[in-house]
Amino acid sequence: MVQNLNQLVHSVTYTLQQKDRAAFFENIKDLQKYDLTHIFIKLSSREQEIFLEFIPVSLLADVLSELDGENRIKVIKILDPEKVSLAVTEMNNDDLVSMLGQLGEEKSAELLTYLDEELSADIKNLLDFPPETAGRIMNNRMVWINQSYTVREAVDKLKQFAELAEYLNYLHVIDDDKRLVGVVSYRELLLADLHWKIADIMQTRIVKVGALMDQEEVARIIRRYDFVTIPVVDDKERLLGIVTVDDILDVVYQEAEEDIEKFSASGKAIDFKTKPVIAAKRRLSWLILLLFIGIVSGSIIASFEETLEQVVALAFFMPMVAGMTGNTGTQSLAVVIRGLAKEKIDTKQVLSLLMRELKVGIYIGLTCGLLIFVIAYLWQGSAVLGIVIGVSLLCTLIIGTLAGTIIPLILNRLNVDPAVASGPLITTINDILSLLIYFGIATAFLSYLM
Amino acid sequence: MVQNLNQLVHSVTYTLQQKDRAAFFENIKDLQKYDLTHIFIKLSSREQEIFLEFIPVSLLADVLSELDGENRIKVIKILDPEKVSLAVTEMNNDDLVSMLGQLGEEKSAELLTYLDEELSADIKNLLDFPPETAGRIMNNRMVWINQSYTVREAVDKLKQFAELAEYLNYLHVIDDDKRLVGVVSYRELLLADLHWKIADIMQTRIVKVGALMDQEEVARIIRRYDFVTIPVVDDKERLLGIVTVDDILDVVYQEAEEDIEKFSASGKAIDFKTKPVIAAKRRLSWLILLLFIGIVSGSIIASFEETLEQVVALAFFMPMVAGMTGNTGTQSLAVVIRGLAKEKIDTKQVLSLLMRELKVGIYIGLTCGLLIFVIAYLWQGSAVLGIVIGVSLLCTLIIGTLAGTIIPLILNRLNVDPAVASGPLITTINDILSLLIYFGIATAFLSYLM
């Protein structure tokens, strides 16, 4: 039960300290993977060793598939290789692949030698698919039947494999060449006559994904159709495995996290436990880049030094103009990135989006430009200054809005994740553009400003 | 099939133009909800009317649950009320609740009168739960059995309700007071003897959620345990319904989108189809707020006008100092928000996080401060200017890092979503702080600078 996990930690700790193997097993036998692993992490090193000694192989497989990278390597080092090899054999294919991906080549090659030939070959095949594709995150916990089966044979196979398959909603139907030709829902099987042929009752309209499809695209399809599993096929339509929704949920969380990382340029993999020096290092790479870009802004301002010396009041509005331009760019960028995450767009849509954002830029620019004209005039008592600042803001907001639209679209066309343009990059580009326009216009009007 | 949806659109259009009801039905009968709805949206108004006339009620329910708000209202207006009422009765509870939530009170009260009393009461109960809670997104597509049942009775009930329940992995076991007391997996049922009692084979360690739990927390639990469904109970532990993973996937996408919206202050609900005037309006509310905050920055600079007049070079480094401070704040903010999305933290962890970020701020500040000292000295040839800028950057980076940590933590403690602090807000606060520090230090050193 979620509620009293802490109690359970205490109770498990006690049984381990007493070395009471039976009581320990009684405590943990019905636990969810996550809870079992959570308890393990809370234990002291000494208790963890006894835990690993006492735990049955099947539950060890659960712990191994749930642990994060660092703790997993620690556990594998503590355990004797034979027990690891037995546990690894009981792990789900996809968890095993993800674990081997983290372990490094040497250690993972060693682990592969423990597996029987067939499993080892299967795993090697999975590791051949590029990371973040359907092939890499699929598993084989599905039930497949041949289309020549009768309903009775299908039901028998389903019962036989019920233990293995986590999701019983669908059976996958293949032909003699292993090609996926249909699906039968468990429901249809229940309602059918036992002697009917599967080929006659299966649905042939199948939604499936290719093994090389990007995992984000797989997530979109699973979401669109409210599926729990989706079959993965190779280029000859042969059934390779299924992707399950639990893995897709991880994908969606992970991608959302990466988007926030990019929007804030915060660098990868900093969490509450990261050491200060490491967190600082990861963040500095971005900040130093931004520092040098800041120097570029500075040198633009320096090149307008004379203008600035003569009308110091221009400096008062500088952060506002640059900030607003950066913000409108980030807004456009967010709209484009969110849109691209939902659908692919063609050239016609790109053009209409650009026209839309141009109009948005003009509306925003006119409103804010007029507003700042009034404010600047009232504050500084100079209509010309008001006009310079208002017109500058109009121009920079239009350009900023367009830049925030065009840059992610170009990146997307180049197959680069458009989110890399987010936050700092777009802000910086718009900073530079806005300073050039602002001081350019001010310099042109300089004689009227003085 | 996903691949030839366009062909299907053409074929459906043709059958509608020919008013060939039979051929139309043949085309659409096996389609997924999403595909069927996608085809409907692609049709002309005239074709949509015939589509709605021809479509059987059960498939109309699919279309209604899949359509977005605007199109849904359009369809309900076109259709005759009787057909709507029949379709509504066939919709899933959770889709119906979400639809009624969008329709506005008057229209949704009208629709409720079409439903039979029991269903109408059920739906009203669901609508009573606050939005974004487990109660609001749960449905009743589960199979429950009494603990006094035998395995045979359970299997019979499962078969009877297989049509209704989408997810057959688990049966929920209740006692005579309707309290959830256990679960039985389909697998366990298959392996059990038909005359065994359910009470003897059920698992009593159940992971469940309260009806008022926030949907994000529900998503975290479903992800943690790799569940496909999770039972929802009231405060007396009575089984109310289940939350299914397809709805959770929508929640996760939606929350990720909201986070990006907040990080970019882009305003809600702007997509590729939003009209320019509306998009501009939604974005302007933020931009105008930021404009006024920009004026505050401006007046801070104005209050240091004398300093600035005497050392114009200070203006060159102004955007860099402000920008860097804003960026380090956003980085800290992202780390905190991502961390809080994963786990709850206690006071002890808050203090250790603050200490960590203080150290990170010092490391970052020392590195960047030293770097800018060298650059400013080489560029402007003044060691004092270099020191002023370097020390300012050191101070502002430390303060910016801490502000980016403290603000979301405070918001979180106040039960406000910390992501509202993101992007513009934190940038603006740090802008103002950095200008005060920068010009404060510069003014103190003014006599040495000249």
Side-chain angles (χ1 to χ4, degrees):
Chain A
M1 240 180 280
V2 190
Q3 289 82 344
N4 47 23
L5 207 51
N6 277 330
Q7 272 168 270
L8 207 57
V9 173
H10 295 151
S11 155
V12 167
T13 308
Y14 181 78
T15 59
L16 288 172
Q17 283 165 351
Q18 299 296 314
K19 305 218 171 160
D20 183 344
R21 189 188 279 249
F24 167 73
F25 183 70
E26 202 52 39
N27 261 319
I28 63 158
K29 72 177 162 55
D30 288 333
L31 286 178
Q32 299 283 344
K33 277 184 196 187
Y34 173 86
D35 294 336
L36 183 59
T37 310
H38 182 84
I39 292 173
F40 175 74
I41 291 169
K42 294 267 170 185
L43 299 173
S44 71
S45 302
R46 180 72 197 112
E47 288 150 16
Q48 287 188 342
E49 275 174 41
I50 311 174
F51 181 105
L52 292 175
E53 188 194 324
F54 282 0
I55 196 168
V57 166
S58 61
L59 294 179
L60 177 59
D62 284 355
V63 174
L64 278 179
S65 46
E66 196 71 27
L67 278 176
D68 59 37
E70 230 167 286
N71 279 308
R72 206 183 251 163
I73 292 170
K74 208 173 98 188
V75 166
I76 292 178
K77 278 187 189 149
I78 296 176
L79 280 168
D80 80 309
E82 202 186 341
K83 193 161 184 180
V84 175
S85 70
L86 288 172
V88 162
T89 314
E90 294 210 17
M91 278 172 74
N92 291 328
N93 269 6
D94 51 346
D95 294 332
L96 189 48
V97 167
S98 124
M99 179 173 113
L100 292 175
Q102 285 175 346
L103 276 185
E105 255 178 61
E106 199 184 329
K107 194 81 198 166
S108 83
E110 188 195 326
L111 270 184
L112 279 173
T113 60
Y114 295 143
L115 307 180
D116 71 52
E117 233 166 86
E118 197 188 326
L119 180 56
S120 164
D122 280 357
I123 296 296
K124 277 186 196 142
N125 280 339
L126 288 177
L127 281 168
D128 276 346
F129 291 107
E132 312 210 335
T133 60
R136 193 65 175 259
I137 58 170
M138 72 187 177
N139 63 66
N140 58 358
R141 304 195 297 279
M142 79 274 186
V143 181
W144 56 264
I145 49 179
N146 193 291
Q147 59 177 345
S148 64
Y149 280 24
T150 61
V151 170
R152 182 189 300 276
E153 285 169 314
V155 171
D156 285 347
K157 177 142 188 189
L158 178 65
K159 283 195 181 163
Q160 188 188 335
F161 283 91
E163 188 70 33
L164 172 119
E166 275 182 45
Y167 304 104
L168 300 166
N169 308 47
Y170 283 99
L171 300 183
H172 298 88
V173 186
I174 59 173
D175 65 11
D176 293 335
D177 297 325
K178 289 200 170 180
R179 280 184 312 208
L180 180 67
V181 291
V183 290
V184 178
S185 74
Y186 174 73
R187 207 175 296 173
E188 287 159 337
L189 218 52
L190 280 181
L191 301 172
D193 251 37
L194 285 177
H195 61 270
W196 286 355
K197 283 267 186 220
I198 289 296
D200 297 328
I201 62 163
M202 69 186 183
Q203 299 167 33
T204 53
R205 235 187 241 291
I206 322 156
V207 181
K208 65 206 166 210
V209 298
L212 293 175
M213 184 183 277
D214 186 275
Q215 61 179 13
E216 280 192 72
E217 182 67 22
V218 180
R220 273 197 286 273
I221 294 176
I222 284 211
R223 180 193 184 193
R224 191 177 287 165
Y225 293 107
D226 292 343
F227 285 160
V228 169
T229 65
I230 194 163
V232 182
V233 295
D234 66 11
D235 50 3
K236 297 196 174 58
E237 299 284 305
R238 283 179 303 217
L239 180 64
L240 298 176
I242 56 171
V243 173
T244 50
V245 71
D246 56 317
D247 295 319
I248 286 302
L249 209 50
D250 289 338
V251 166
V252 176
Y253 268 100
Q254 182 193 324
E255 302 281 353
E257 214 170 88
E258 285 175 14
D259 279 353
I260 294 287
E261 269 169 16
K262 283 172 196 148
F263 255 81
S264 60
S266 57
K268 283 214 170 175
I270 301 178
D271 62 25
F272 288 170
K273 286 172 208 121
T274 314
K275 296 207 177 67
V277 188
I278 293 170
K281 261 193 201 158
R282 288 184 182 152
R283 288 166 61 162
L284 267 172
S285 53
W286 257 112
L287 287 174
I288 289 175
L289 178 66
L290 291 168
L291 189 143
F292 280 99
I293 297 173
I295 297 297
V296 176
S297 299
S299 56
I300 292 172
I301 303 172
S303 69
F304 291 102
E305 186 172 0
E306 271 178 45
T307 309
L308 197 57
E309 263 174 356
Q310 282 161 336
V311 192
V312 175
L314 285 172
F316 306 165
F317 298 95
M318 205 169 71
M320 190 274 301
V321 173
M324 296 282 289
T325 312
N327 277 309
T328 192
T330 307
Q331 288 184 335
S332 292
L333 182 82
V335 171
V336 175
I337 288 177
R338 269 155 44 199
L340 289 176
K342 270 191 234 153
E343 48 185 321
K344 292 191 170 150
I345 62 174
D346 55 31
T347 315
K348 202 180 127 199
Q349 282 168 300
V350 166
L351 289 176
S352 88
L353 181 64
L354 282 176
M355 277 307 295
R356 206 272 305 265
E357 290 296 300
L358 176 64
K359 284 182 195 157
V360 169
I362 292 171
Y363 294 143
I364 288 177
L366 284 175
T367 314
C368 294
L370 207 66
L371 200 61
I372 201 68
F373 161 74
V374 174
I375 293 173
Y377 177 55
L378 293 177
W379 182 17
Q380 296 292 320
S382 154
V384 183
L385 185 68
I387 292 172
V388 167
I389 294 165
V391 172
S392 298
L393 195 58
L394 169 63
C395 297
T396 58
L397 285 180
I398 295 173
I399 289 173
T401 306
L402 285 179
T405 313
I406 293 169
I407 292 169
L409 285 173
I410 291 174
L411 290 176
N412 186 54
R413 184 56 60 96
L414 298 174
N415 277 323
V416 177
D417 178 356
V420 299
S422 6
L425 183 58
I426 201 94
T427 307
T428 305
I429 290 175
N430 279 342
D431 252 21
I432 291 174
L433 286 175
S434 68
L435 288 172
L436 283 173
I437 292 169
Y438 179 50
F439 281 109
I441 292 177
T443 308
F445 282 82
L446 194 58
S447 52
Y448 305 100
L449 276 171
M450 291 170 61
Chain B
M1 238 180 282
V2 190
Q3 290 80 346
N4 48 23
L5 207 51
N6 278 330
Q7 271 169 271
L8 207 55
V9 173
H10 296 151
S11 156
V12 167
T13 309
Y14 181 78
T15 59
L16 289 171
Q17 284 164 351
Q18 300 295 312
K19 303 214 174 164
D20 184 344
R21 191 188 277 251
F24 167 72
F25 183 70
E26 202 52 40
N27 261 319
I28 64 158
K29 71 177 162 57
D30 287 333
L31 286 179
Q32 299 283 344
K33 278 184 194 188
Y34 173 87
D35 293 337
L36 182 59
T37 310
H38 182 85
I39 292 173
F40 175 75
I41 291 169
K42 294 268 171 186
L43 299 173
S44 72
S45 302
R46 179 76 198 107
E47 289 151 14
Q48 286 188 343
E49 276 174 41
I50 310 174
F51 181 106
L52 293 174
E53 188 194 324
F54 282 179
I55 196 168
V57 168
S58 61
L59 294 179
L60 178 59
D62 284 354
V63 173
L64 278 179
S65 45
E66 194 72 25
L67 278 175
D68 59 38
E70 232 167 284
N71 280 307
R72 206 183 251 164
I73 292 170
K74 208 174 97 188
V75 166
I76 292 177
K77 280 186 187 148
I78 296 175
L79 281 169
D80 79 309
E82 202 185 343
K83 193 161 182 179
V84 175
S85 69
L86 288 171
V88 163
T89 315
E90 293 212 18
M91 279 172 73
N92 291 328
N93 270 7
D94 51 345
D95 293 332
L96 189 50
V97 167
S98 125
M99 179 173 115
L100 292 174
Q102 285 174 346
L103 275 184
E105 257 178 58
E106 200 184 330
K107 194 81 198 167
S108 83
E110 189 194 326
L111 271 185
L112 279 174
T113 60
Y114 294 143
L115 307 181
D116 72 50
E117 233 166 85
E118 196 189 327
L119 180 56
S120 164
D122 280 357
I123 296 297
K124 277 184 196 146
N125 281 339
L126 287 177
L127 281 168
D128 276 347
F129 290 107
E132 312 211 333
T133 60
R136 193 64 174 260
I137 59 169
M138 72 186 175
N139 64 65
N140 58 357
R141 304 196 297 281
M142 79 275 188
V143 182
W144 56 263
I145 49 179
N146 193 292
Q147 59 177 345
S148 65
Y149 280 24
T150 61
V151 170
R152 181 189 301 276
E153 285 170 314
V155 171
D156 286 348
K157 177 142 188 190
L158 178 66
K159 283 194 181 164
Q160 188 187 337
F161 284 91
E163 188 71 33
L164 172 119
E166 276 180 47
Y167 305 104
L168 300 167
N169 308 48
Y170 282 98
L171 301 182
H172 298 87
V173 186
I174 58 174
D175 65 12
D176 293 333
D177 298 324
K178 288 200 171 181
R179 281 184 311 209
L180 180 66
V181 290
V183 290
V184 177
S185 75
Y186 175 73
R187 208 175 295 170
E188 286 160 336
L189 219 52
L190 279 181
L191 301 173
D193 248 38
L194 285 177
H195 61 270
W196 286 356
K197 285 267 187 224
I198 289 296
D200 297 329
I201 63 163
M202 69 188 184
Q203 300 167 32
T204 52
R205 235 187 240 289
I206 322 155
V207 181
K208 64 208 166 208
V209 299
L212 294 174
M213 185 184 277
D214 187 274
Q215 60 180 11
E216 281 191 72
E217 182 65 23
V218 180
R220 273 198 286 272
I221 293 176
I222 285 211
R223 181 194 182 194
R224 191 177 288 163
Y225 293 107
D226 291 345
F227 285 161
V228 168
T229 65
I230 194 164
V232 182
V233 295
D234 66 11
D235 52 2
K236 296 196 176 58
E237 300 283 306
R238 283 180 303 215
L239 180 64
L240 298 176
I242 56 170
V243 173
T244 51
V245 71
D246 57 317
D247 296 319
I248 286 302
L249 208 50
D250 289 338
V251 167
V252 176
Y253 267 102
Q254 184 192 324
E255 302 281 353
E257 216 170 85
E258 285 175 14
D259 279 351
I260 294 287
E261 268 169 18
K262 283 173 197 147
F263 256 81
S264 60
S266 57
K268 282 212 171 177
I270 301 177
D271 62 26
F272 288 171
K273 285 170 208 124
T274 314
K275 295 206 179 68
V277 188
I278 294 170
K281 262 192 200 158
R282 287 185 182 152
R283 289 168 58 161
L284 266 172
S285 52
W286 257 113
L287 286 173
I288 289 175
L289 177 67
L290 291 168
L291 189 144
F292 281 99
I293 297 174
I295 298 297
V296 176
S297 298
S299 56
I300 292 173
I301 303 172
S303 68
F304 290 102
E305 186 171 1
E306 270 179 47
T307 309
L308 198 56
E309 263 173 357
Q310 283 162 334
V311 191
V312 175
L314 284 173
F316 307 165
F317 297 95
M318 204 169 70
M320 189 275 300
V321 172
M324 296 282 288
T325 311
N327 277 310
T328 192
T330 308
Q331 288 184 335
S332 292
L333 184 81
V335 171
V336 175
I337 288 177
R338 269 155 45 201
L340 289 176
K342 268 191 236 154
E343 49 185 318
K344 292 192 171 150
I345 60 172
D346 55 30
T347 316
K348 202 179 127 199
Q349 282 169 301
V350 166
L351 290 177
S352 88
L353 181 64
L354 283 176
M355 277 308 294
R356 206 270 304 266
E357 290 297 300
L358 176 63
K359 284 182 197 159
V360 170
I362 292 172
Y363 293 144
I364 288 176
L366 285 175
T367 313
C368 295
L370 207 64
L371 200 60
I372 201 68
F373 162 74
V374 175
I375 293 172
Y377 177 55
L378 293 177
W379 183 16
Q380 296 291 320
S382 155
V384 182
L385 185 67
I387 290 172
V388 166
I389 295 165
V391 172
S392 298
L393 196 59
L394 168 63
C395 297
T396 60
L397 286 180
I398 293 172
I399 289 173
T401 306
L402 285 180
T405 313
I406 293 169
I407 293 170
L409 285 174
I410 292 174
L411 290 176
N412 186 56
R413 185 55 63 96
L414 299 173
N415 277 322
V416 177
D417 178 356
V420 300
S422 2
L425 183 57
I426 200 94
T427 308
T428 305
I429 290 175
N430 278 343
D431 252 19
I432 292 173
L433 287 176
S434 68
L435 288 172
L436 283 173
I437 293 169
Y438 180 49
F439 281 108
I441 292 177
T443 308
F445 282 80
L446 194 57
S447 53
Y448 305 98
L449 278 170
M450 291 168 63

